[in-house]
């Protein structure tokens, strides 16, 4: 979290917005700026019985910044997701209130969560979204590329053959393609995109959204000098298809 963040004080406002027994809350948390946490998210994290999270240290840091007293944290990751989901399901069926968070942003969007939602929906457990920050939507909202239709592909597969199949399958799509990428692969991703899209394709590369060094490249694939992209921080890449 950067130093523009404003720590919450106390637990005022929990009251009628408190977590209810037997309900799973899917809570969006900041992608860089603590002030982006919603009051509703704060109320649920303050009042739930336990929190399922990707990395307990990361979530504990968030709770400490928010002045929320310590509470049980359970690791919920892709590895062992089915067993963890069943464990959390039993807690919910025993009338505990559970909040699911990821390290940053909205759980289950390129993050763990899907299996838990599925099992809860199948078993009739109430699932409540607490909408909050999401890197893809934040990027799309400011990138200057079409927003009437967008295709979220998350992280591309590692092998070029599978990337080719994915782009071929979506060839007819008209709008903005949204990709996530890690900093150590961003330059390679641009080289890969040049193989599949015309050089005059409009793209936006958003970097470190909501953080102190937030930036955005807006232009064509041809004009972008990929060597200027930082090898640190986080990226969302947006591509206009059929513009
Ligand atoms: N669930 C998260 C969400 O709702 O956005 C996404 C988690 S995914 C594991 C992490 C990826 O999201 C990063 O590799 C990057 O592509 C993108 N991302 C997360 N935070 C970002 C930020 N502050 N600025 C730009 N991209 C970000």
């Amino acid at each position: 979290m950067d130093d523009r963040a404003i720590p919450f004080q106390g637990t005022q406002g929990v009251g009628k917005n408190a977590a209810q027994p037997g309900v799973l809350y899917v809570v969006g948390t900041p992608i860089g700026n603590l002030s982006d946490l919603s009051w509703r998210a704060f109320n649920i994290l303050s009042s739930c019985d336990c929190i399922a999270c990707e990395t307990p240290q990361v979530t504990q840091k968030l709770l400490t910044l928010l002045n929320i007293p310590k509470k049980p944290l359970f690791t919920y990751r892709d590895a062992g997701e089915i067993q963890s989901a069943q464990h959390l399901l039993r807690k919910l069926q025993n009338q505990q209130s559970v909040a699911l968070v990821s390290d940053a942003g909205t759980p289950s969007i390129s993050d763990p969560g899907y299996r838990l939602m599925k099992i809860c929906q199948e078993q009739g457990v109430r699932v409540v979204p607490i909408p909050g920050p999401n890197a893809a939507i934040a990027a799309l909202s400011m990138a200057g590329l079409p927003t009437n239709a967008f295709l979220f592909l998350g992280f591309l597969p590692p092998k070029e053959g599978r990337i080719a199949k994915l782009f071929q399958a979506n060839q007819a799509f008209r709008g903005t393609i949204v990709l996530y990428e890690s900093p150590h692969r961003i330059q390679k991703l641009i080289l890969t995109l040049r193989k599949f899209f015309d050089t005059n394709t409009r793209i936006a590369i958003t970097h470190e959204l909501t953080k102190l060094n937030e930036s955005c490249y807006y232009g064509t694939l041809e004009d972008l000098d990929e060597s200027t992209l930082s090898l640190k921080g986080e990226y969302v890449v947006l591509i206009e298809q059929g513009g």
Side-chain angles (χ1 to χ4, degrees), residues 31 102 104-107 109-111 133-136 155 180-182 206-211 234-236:
I31 56 170
S102 50
T106 301
I109 307 297
S110 292
D111 263 338
N134 166 252
F155 293 96
Y180 282 165
E181 192 50 283
S182 63
T206 63
H207 182 228
E208 293 287 81
L209 292 167
T210 78
K211 301 184 193 178
E234 305 196 85
Y235 285 97
V236 181

Side-chain angles (χ1 to χ4, degrees), residues 198-210:
D198 289 343
T199 49
N200 62 355
T201 300
R202 281 202 306 159
I203 61 166
I205 300 185
T206 63
H207 182 228
E208 293 287 81
L209 292 167
T210 78

Side-chain angles (χ1 to χ4, degrees), residues 8-28:
F8 281 75
Q9 298 294 327
T11 54
Q12 65 269 36
V14 171
K16 63 181 175 160
N17 293 315
Q20 301 299 304
V23 177
L24 172 68
Y25 295 90
V26 187
V27 182

Side-chain angles (χ1 to χ4, degrees), residues 27-91:
V27 182
T29 59
I31 56 170
N33 190 317
L34 185 62
S35 306
D36 291 335
L37 190 105
S38 73
W39 275 111
R40 197 164 166 232
F42 174 75
N43 287 337
I44 294 298
L45 293 176
S46 300
S47 59
C48 64
D49 293 314
C50 62
I51 301 176
C53 57
E54 263 187 289
T55 316
Q57 295 89 319
V58 172
T59 299
Q60 185 52 57
K61 191 174 166 200
L62 175 69
L63 297 183
T64 304
L65 284 167
L66 298 171
N67 293 326
I68 295 175
K70 280 198 169 171
K71 61 174 64 196
L73 302 179
F74 294 94
T75 306
Y76 183 86
R77 291 203 185 123
D78 286 332
E81 201 180 348
I82 292 175
Q83 292 91 316
S84 305
Q86 277 159 353
H87 175 70
L88 291 165
L89 176 68
R90 282 193 290 278
K91 284 188 174 300

Side-chain angles (χ1 to χ4, degrees), residues 96-115:
Q96 292 217 10
S97 54
V98 179
L100 173 70
V101 299
S102 50
D103 286 349
T106 301
S108 80
I109 307 297
S110 292
D111 263 338
Y114 161 70
R115 287 198 173 81

